[in-house]
Amino acid sequence: MNFLRGVMGGPSAGPQPSGAETIQKLCDRVASSTLLDDRRDAVRALKSLSKKYRLEVGIQAMEHLIHVLQTDRSDSEIIGYALDTLYNVISNDLEEEEQEENLPKQVDDLGSQFTEIFIKQQENVTLLLTLVEEFDFHVRWPGVKLLTSLLKQQGPQVQQIILVSPMGVSRLMDLLADSREVIRNDGVLLLQQLTKSNAAIQKIVAFENAFERLLDIITEEGNSDGGIVVEDCLLLLQNLLKNNNSNQNFFKEGSYIQRMKPWFEVGDDNCGWSAQKVTNLHLMLQLVRVLVSPTNPPGATSSCQKAMFHCGLLQQLCMILMATGVPADILTETINTVSEVIRGCQMNQDYFASVNAPSNPPRPAIVVLLMSMVNERQPFVLRCAVLYCFQCFLYKNQKGQGEIVSTLLPSTIDATGNSVSAGQLLCGGLFSTDSLSNWCAAVALAHALQENATLKEQLLRVQLATSIGNPPVSLLQQCTNILSQGDKIDRRGSKVQTRVGLLMLLCTWLSNCSIAVTHFLHNPANVPFLTGQIAENLGEEEQLVQGLCALLLGISIYYNDNSLENYRKEKLKQLIEKRIGRENFIEKLGFISKHELYSRAAQKPQPSFSSPDHMMFDHEFTKLVKELEGVISKAIYKSSEEDKKEEEVKKTLEQHDNIVTHYKKVIREQDQELEELKQRINTLTSQNEQLQATVTQQVSQIQQHKDQYNLLKVQLGKDTQHHNSHSDTFQMNGIQTEEVSKLKEELEEWKNKHELLQGQLWEKDSVIEKLKSSQLEMGTTEQSSQTSRSGGLEHNNELQKELEMLRSQIQLQSAEISKLQIENQKLQVMSTTADHVLGDSSARAANNSELEGQLEQEIKELKSEVKVLSEEKESLKQHLDSSSSTVAILQDEKSKLQQEVAESKKEQDDLLVLLADQDQKLSALKMKLKDLGVPVEDEDDIESGDQGDEDEDGDEEEQD
């Protein structure tokens, strides 16, 4: 009670009741009052006292308040007061006045204790979830705040209760769709607490369409220019995606990465960066890094990297990277983000290599970043970010490694010196007086050689000009020279850092490259320097250098091809035994992996150091140490015999590899042959299908021929029966031959008529010729011709009418000829069928039993019959051609006549001039033309009579 008195400010002078007594009375009113208004007033009073008397209200009133939530749900006002009171009791968010008071560590304990009491009955949390579903603002908002406070105090327990409650998470997801921004924003805070470190809830929230809703809220609030609501949404997105492969895959498959691109459209005028905008953009960049983190599964990271390239997100980040006026922390985080977006993705690495900075002249972005890395005036965090970007650009990128190394080779160096290359910047940083630049350049160059034996050999060709008059020195020799000088050169920064960086570069360079080891051992000063460094007893800082020297010497032994007589494996082992001792050498070698900074660097690829002095190890180098430490230890203890055996094993392995490569080539050739054979099979199958199609067509045709043959058999059988019943078929055949002879005679008559018509046409031609001659003779009678022009026109019209009559006559004659040809064909077909009926009936009477047993002979006979029919068809075609030739001659004559008429029309104007003097001649010509028209009318009468005779003949044939 002393504590309560202290809180209440001591005893009062009058008999005024204490706070605890007042709270007790209010609790009694809540529990015993039957009127809702009395209970509501009591709960309102408890709410007003809950902040000042938090402990008393929590102890005495919590049970009554929970009872009110259960029984008085119909009244939203009392429910709201009860929820606010519980929130004040459980929450640790105290006001400033209360924070100034002397309430030390009990605040945090009270909140967690009251939360534990509240959630002891799981029905209370379930009840709270049902209240959160209410739309009434006075119920929903306090419920959201109370549930958020419960999650802050006892997160895992409350998460488990909500997870097992029916539709618990789904009820809370509805808060994001609330039109009231206060509830929606507090709902985001609630989901932040709910999704912390719980993968199951994170998956449920993600599949409840959380990504869509959160991205919509961010867009509505203005993306990076939005307020704190955007920050809360980004924090919730990080909770859902970080270390959750299922949600990351769902985010990518839902095409939500494409919606992140507008976040980074910051514009060209990068002025006015508010603190909230910097925070929002920083969180957005971190969200991108969550999707492409190196700790994610490689397949998921690769798919997200490709999606970011295709949607233009990487291009947008590179624009921020090269923009001006960007705050330093945003620029640093952007570099780290770009690093992880391009890490191990060849497509993104190629694009990054093509990015140029907006300078004059344009420079590659890699060169500009390397200039920042080797510049000691740049912030330490920015330099680390650039180094990480360069490492990610070269990670599994042999093409990029070759481009970097090529800038150092003599054949590709720009002789004019107009542009600075990446290789020149790395060499400049490697040999500068700043130890941090030395370390960064050495590590960057080591990454250019990582797992690439070809480039290690090419880098041996690099020559450096040290001073005027002195011969150039190789890069390998210059590195060992600087290493041997040690502390003699005055450098800024750590004394050990430069040597550690150079040793890491040399170890990476010499590993798995026997030629580089030979070049290194060719310098007689290198081995004595290494043995001297390892044998000395130095301080703790120098122990790291001793361990790296032991590693470099061990690499020189393990990858030694014994090409140098003085530095064979056995001699170097003897040297270690005499000068250092094997146990001492192994102990010094173990200094590397036991170092604290080594274990830090081995955790993740990104170089993150608290200060430049802690910048000692690279992540990829730790992998190399882990790989070589045990191998070198075994190699030191091996004897010469074991070495020989190992060499023999290597030779056998090489032979085995050669055999394997040979068989691989054979297998490739066989694969190619298989592909060719498969293609041939495909072509043959297609040809086979075509042939099968043709075969089926032929089979169908044969079937059709068989059907036709069967029909002919049936028809011939009927004809034989008709022959047996009527023996006068020969007489009918004779009658048919007589009809054919009659038709031939009629054809002769028509031919004669055609000849007469041709004579008439010749007469008309002569008349036209006479007219032409008369035109030449009477060329001077133009004046008199005008008076008789009207009469000439009438004569000309009459001439045209007579020509039309002749044309119609020719057409009628051609139609009659075609009819006669058709009738002739019918009669010939009938005569041939009758002949075949007689021949086939006699043949079947002789060989009926043989034809029924052999189907193939019948098919042959069918083919022979088809041939006979085709020959007869040819003969009929010849007759038809002969008759059609006459028609063609008549048509030619008709066309000539039409041409002459056309010419006469053209010459009409000239003929009209001569009509006055030629009246008598024209009258004579008129009489001749009329004479030509008289037999036409007689022939029309003859034609009508002939047609009647033909109809009678047709009727007789039908009767027969």
Side-chain angles (χ1 to χ4, degrees):
M1 295 302 294
N2 293 330
F3 169 72
L4 292 176
R5 291 193 184 93
V7 172
M8 295 167 61
S12 60
Q16 188 176 1
S18 63
E21 293 175 352
T22 304
I23 292 168
Q24 182 63 41
K25 290 179 180 180
L26 292 174
C27 292
D28 293 339
R29 285 180 61 186
V30 172
S32 59
S33 295
T34 56
L35 294 176
L36 180 61
D37 293 336
D38 291 342
R39 294 199 300 275
R40 186 188 306 119
D41 293 338
V43 174
R44 185 189 299 115
L46 287 172
K47 174 189 172 184
S48 62
L49 293 172
S50 59
K51 290 184 179 180
K52 189 174 183 180
Y53 300 103
R54 181 182 176 189
L55 178 64
E56 291 80 358
V57 173
I59 293 174
Q60 300 181 30
M62 182 176 288
E63 185 178 354
H64 300 292
L65 292 173
I66 294 172
H67 183 69
V68 168
L69 295 178
Q70 294 172 349
T71 56
D72 293 331
R73 290 184 60 183
S74 60
D75 184 44
S76 60
E77 191 173 358
I78 190 172
I79 295 295
Y81 292 149
L83 291 172
D84 284 333
T85 306
L86 289 172
Y87 172 74
N88 292 335
V89 169
I90 292 173
S91 176
N92 289 327
D93 300 333
L94 300 176
E95 296 180 357
E96 294 180 358
E97 296 179 357
E98 296 178 359
Q99 288 178 357
E100 292 176 356
E101 296 180 1
N102 189 15
L103 295 176
K105 298 180 181 179
Q106 296 183 0
V107 175
D108 294 335
D109 296 338
L110 280 178
S112 60
Q113 289 174 5
F114 285 136
T115 302
E116 190 174 352
I117 294 170
F118 184 84
I119 66 174
K120 192 172 184 180
Q121 299 294 328
Q122 294 187 7
E123 295 80 5
N124 297 337
V125 180
T126 307
L127 175 63
L128 191 57
L129 290 173
T130 57
L131 293 174
V132 168
E133 283 187 297
E134 297 290 336
F135 185 74
D136 193 339
F137 180 81
H138 298 289
V139 176
R140 196 171 204 182
W141 188 41
V144 171
K145 293 195 295 181
L146 177 58
L147 194 55
T148 305
S149 182
L150 291 174
L151 286 165
K152 286 181 180 178
Q153 300 296 336
Q154 299 287 340
Q157 292 85 345
V158 180
Q159 285 175 346
Q160 193 61 31
I161 296 171
I162 294 174
L163 189 61
V164 298
S165 64
M167 300 293 291
V169 180
S170 300
R171 295 175 186 176
L172 300 179
M173 285 301 300
D174 294 336
L175 298 173
L176 296 180
D178 201 306
S179 58
R180 295 160 292 192
E181 291 188 359
V182 176
I183 295 178
R184 184 199 68 184
N185 299 341
D186 283 346
V188 173
L189 297 175
L190 170 60
L191 291 173
Q192 276 185 27
Q193 299 297 326
L194 181 65
T195 55
K196 278 185 177 179
S197 304
N198 194 310
I201 294 179
Q202 289 169 3
K203 291 179 182 178
I204 296 173
V205 171
F207 283 98
E208 288 286 344
N209 206 19
F211 294 138
E212 184 77 26
R213 296 182 184 180
L214 291 173
L215 292 173
D216 289 341
I217 294 171
I218 292 172
T219 305
E220 291 171 5
E221 295 292 328
N223 294 329
S224 60
D225 294 323
I228 196 170
V229 180
V230 175
E231 179 182 350
D232 295 335
C233 291
L234 291 170
L235 290 172
L236 177 54
L237 284 172
Q238 282 192 17
N239 286 350
L240 294 175
L241 292 173
K242 196 169 186 178
N243 299 325
N244 194 319
N245 300 327
S246 175
N247 283 0
Q248 289 175 7
N249 189 37
F250 180 69
F251 191 84
K252 178 186 69 69
E253 295 295 335
S255 300
Y256 296 119
I257 292 177
Q258 287 81 343
R259 298 187 61 179
M260 297 170 71
K261 182 188 174 184
W263 295 356
F264 305 102
E265 295 175 356
V266 294
D268 296 332
D269 52 342
N270 293 321
C271 57
W273 288 78
S274 63
Q276 187 61 54
K277 182 176 181 179
V278 171
T279 303
N280 291 342
L281 203 57
H282 200 272
L283 290 172
M284 290 172 178
L285 292 168
Q286 287 183 352
L287 192 63
V288 175
R289 294 184 64 185
V290 165
L291 294 171
V292 293
S293 174
T295 58
N296 294 342
T301 301
S302 177
S303 59
C304 290
Q305 288 172 337
K306 292 176 182 177
M308 289 177 184
F309 174 78
H310 290 302
C311 74
L313 180 59
L314 174 60
Q315 293 84 334
Q316 202 68 40
L317 292 174
C318 290
M319 289 177 64
I320 298 176
L321 196 66
M322 294 291 107
T324 56
V326 181
D329 52 348
I330 294 297
L331 182 60
T332 303
E333 190 64 24
T334 304
I335 294 172
N336 288 327
T337 306
V338 171
S339 305
E340 294 185 351
V341 172
I342 68 173
R343 187 177 190 269
C345 182
Q346 187 67 48
M347 178 173 58
N348 294 0
Q349 289 168 341
D350 292 341
Y351 170 76
F352 184 70
S354 65
V355 175
N356 288 325
S359 60
N360 192 14
R363 290 177 176 173
I366 299 172
V367 174
V368 176
L369 291 175
L370 288 177
M371 291 171 70
S372 301
M373 186 185 73
V374 298
N375 187 358
E376 56 184 309
R377 288 177 294 181
Q378 293 293 337
F380 171 67
V381 181
L382 179 64
R383 297 173 75 180
C384 291
V386 173
L387 176 62
Y388 183 48
C389 184
F390 191 74
Q391 292 174 354
C392 292
F393 170 69
L394 298 178
Y395 182 71
K396 293 183 179 179
N397 184 11
Q398 293 188 354
K399 179 182 176 183
Q401 289 176 330
E403 291 174 354
I404 297 299
V405 172
S406 65
T407 59
L408 288 167
L409 299 178
S411 59
T412 57
I413 294 176
D414 187 6
T416 60
N418 293 329
S419 61
V420 180
S421 65
Q424 292 173 348
L425 288 171
L426 290 177
C427 284
L430 193 63
F431 305 128
S432 70
T433 56
D434 180 31
S435 60
L436 186 60
S437 298
N438 300 152
W439 191 90
C440 292
V443 171
L445 196 56
H447 276 265
L449 304 175
Q450 199 79 35
E451 297 179 358
N452 199 326
T454 305
L455 295 181
K456 292 176 182 179
E457 295 177 5
Q458 290 184 4
L459 199 64
L460 297 171
R461 297 164 45 201
V462 176
Q463 300 290 323
L464 303 175
T466 54
S467 59
I468 300 173
N470 294 327
V473 181
S474 67
L475 178 61
L476 183 64
Q477 182 63 40
Q478 185 66 16
C479 291
T480 55
N481 291 340
I482 295 173
L483 189 63
S484 60
Q485 290 175 2
D487 297 334
K488 295 178 182 179
I489 301 175
D490 187 14
R491 299 181 185 278
R492 292 179 296 275
S494 174
K495 297 179 181 179
V496 182
Q497 199 169 37
T498 300
R499 287 183 286 168
V500 170
L502 290 172
L503 286 168
M504 285 195 297
L505 172 61
L506 292 173
C507 290
T508 306
W509 194 347
L510 269 61
S511 63
N512 202 17
C513 184
S514 301
I515 299 175
V517 171
T518 304
H519 279 73
F520 178 77
L521 295 176
H522 191 71
N523 187 356
N526 290 336
V527 174
F529 168 74
L530 292 178
T531 54
Q533 288 286 321
I534 299 169
E536 291 181 3
N537 291 322
L538 303 173
E540 293 183 358
E541 292 183 356
E542 298 293 334
Q543 286 183 353
L544 187 57
V545 177
Q546 287 182 327
L548 292 172
C549 289
L551 180 64
L552 183 58
L553 186 58
I555 290 172
S556 301
I557 295 173
Y558 184 72
Y559 292 104
N560 192 349
D561 58 356
N562 295 326
S563 58
L564 295 175
E565 185 63 29
N566 295 330
Y567 296 102
R568 296 173 64 86
K569 286 184 178 181
E570 191 60 33
K571 291 186 177 181
L572 290 175
K573 290 179 185 179
Q574 293 176 2
L575 186 64
I576 290 173
E577 181 67 26
K578 291 179 181 178
R579 300 255 182 110
I580 305 168
R582 292 180 181 177
E583 290 78 8
N584 191 19
F585 179 85
I586 299 301
E587 183 182 358
K588 298 291 178 69
L589 184 62
F591 285 163
I592 303 174
S593 57
K594 293 177 182 178
H595 203 279
E596 180 184 0
L597 298 177
Y598 174 88
S599 58
R600 288 185 188 177
Q603 292 176 359
K604 57 181 181 178
Q606 182 182 359
S608 57
F609 306 100
S610 57
S611 66
D613 294 336
H614 294 164
M615 206 170 190
M616 289 293 174
F617 286 108
D618 174 57
H619 178 75
E620 293 296 327
F621 181 73
T622 59
K623 294 181 180 179
L624 181 66
V625 172
K626 191 180 295 184
E627 178 185 350
L628 294 178
E629 187 176 6
V631 174
I632 292 173
S633 300
K634 292 179 181 178
I636 295 298
Y637 283 102
K638 283 182 182 178
S639 61
S640 59
E641 295 179 356
E642 292 176 349
D643 288 336
K644 290 179 181 179
K645 290 181 181 179
E646 188 175 353
E647 289 178 358
E648 291 177 357
V649 170
K650 285 183 179 179
K651 289 180 180 179
T652 54
L653 288 174
E654 289 177 357
Q655 293 176 357
H656 182 267
D657 292 337
N658 294 329
I659 294 170
V660 170
T661 53
H662 173 69
Y663 280 116
K664 284 182 179 179
K665 290 180 181 179
V666 172
I667 291 168
R668 287 173 186 170
E669 292 176 355
Q670 290 177 351
D671 289 337
Q672 292 178 356
E673 291 178 357
L674 283 174
E675 290 295 328
E676 293 176 355
L677 291 173
K678 286 180 181 178
Q679 293 177 357
R680 288 183 182 177
I681 288 169
N682 292 329
T683 54
L684 290 173
T685 51
S686 62
Q687 292 177 359
N688 187 16
E689 290 175 357
Q690 293 176 357
L691 292 173
Q692 285 180 355
T694 55
V695 166
T696 52
Q697 290 178 358
Q698 291 176 355
V699 168
S700 63
Q701 291 177 358
I702 291 169
Q703 187 64 35
Q704 290 176 0
H705 288 305
K706 287 181 179 180
D707 296 337
Q708 293 175 359
Y709 172 72
N710 293 327
L711 288 172
L712 289 173
K713 274 174 63 177
V714 173
Q715 290 178 357
L716 292 172
K718 291 180 180 179
D719 291 336
T720 53
Q721 292 176 1
H722 182 71
H723 175 72
N724 294 328
S725 62
H726 300 87
S727 62
D728 55 351
T729 306
F730 291 103
Q731 296 177 358
M732 291 175 64
N733 193 7
I735 293 167
Q736 288 176 356
T737 54
E738 290 177 357
E739 290 177 355
V740 171
S741 62
K742 287 181 180 180
L743 288 172
K744 288 181 179 179
E745 291 176 357
E746 289 178 359
L747 283 174
E748 292 295 331
E749 291 177 359
W750 284 111
K751 287 180 181 179
N752 295 326
K753 288 179 181 180
H754 279 298
E755 290 175 356
L756 290 172
L757 289 172
Q758 287 177 358
Q760 292 174 0
L761 289 173
W762 283 110
E763 289 178 359
K764 289 181 181 180
D765 291 336
S766 64
V767 169
I768 290 167
E769 290 293 331
K770 289 179 181 180
L771 287 172
K772 289 180 181 179
S773 62
S774 63
Q775 287 175 4
L776 296 172
E777 291 175 358
M778 302 302 293
T780 58
T781 59
E782 294 179 356
Q783 296 177 355
S784 61
S785 65
Q786 294 178 357
T787 59
S788 61
R789 210 174 262 179
S790 60
L793 289 170
E794 292 177 356
H795 290 300
N796 190 13
N797 291 329
E798 291 176 356
L799 288 172
Q800 288 180 356
K801 289 179 181 178
E802 291 174 357
L803 291 173
E804 291 296 329
M805 293 282 289
L806 289 172
R807 289 175 186 170
S808 62
Q809 183 180 357
I810 291 168
Q811 289 178 358
L812 290 170
Q813 290 177 355
S814 63
E816 290 176 358
I817 289 168
S818 63
K819 288 180 180 179
L820 291 172
Q821 287 176 354
I822 292 168
E823 290 177 358
N824 189 10
Q825 289 177 2
K826 289 181 179 178
L827 292 172
Q828 287 179 358
V829 170
M830 291 172 66
S831 64
T832 53
T833 52
D835 293 336
H836 283 295
V837 166
L838 294 173
D840 292 336
S841 62
S842 61
R844 285 193 187 87
N847 299 319
N848 191 12
S849 60
E850 295 179 357
L851 290 172
E852 291 178 354
Q854 297 179 353
L855 181 61
E856 294 179 355
Q857 291 180 359
E858 290 179 359
I859 294 171
K860 291 180 180 178
E861 289 175 359
L862 178 62
K863 289 182 179 179
S864 63
E865 290 174 1
V866 169
K867 287 181 181 179
V868 172
L869 290 172
S870 62
E871 290 175 357
E872 292 177 355
K873 183 179 177 182
E874 290 295 329
S875 63
L876 290 173
K877 280 185 180 179
Q878 290 176 359
H879 289 296
L880 192 138
D881 291 336
S882 63
S883 61
S884 61
S885 63
T886 59
V887 176
I889 292 168
L890 291 173
Q891 287 179 353
D892 292 337
E893 292 175 355
K894 179 182 175 183
S895 63
K896 288 179 182 179
L897 184 60
Q898 289 176 351
Q899 290 177 359
E900 291 171 358
V901 170
E903 291 175 357
S904 65
K905 285 181 181 179
K906 290 179 183 179
E907 296 171 353
Q908 262 183 359
D909 294 335
D910 296 332
L911 290 172
L912 289 173
V913 179
L914 302 174
L915 284 175
D917 295 333
Q918 297 294 329
D919 288 335
Q920 295 177 358
K921 293 181 180 181
L922 288 173
S923 61
L925 291 171
K926 182 179 179 182
M927 293 299 292
K928 289 181 181 180
L929 291 172
K930 286 181 179 179
D931 293 335
L932 292 171
V934 172
V936 172
E937 294 177 356
D938 296 336
E939 288 174 0
D940 291 337
D941 296 335
I942 293 167
E943 287 172 1
S944 61
D946 293 336
Q947 287 177 358
D949 295 336
E950 289 174 1
D951 294 335
E952 291 176 358
D953 295 335
D955 294 334
E956 290 176 359
E957 289 173 2
E958 289 176 0
Q959 291 176 1
D960 294 335

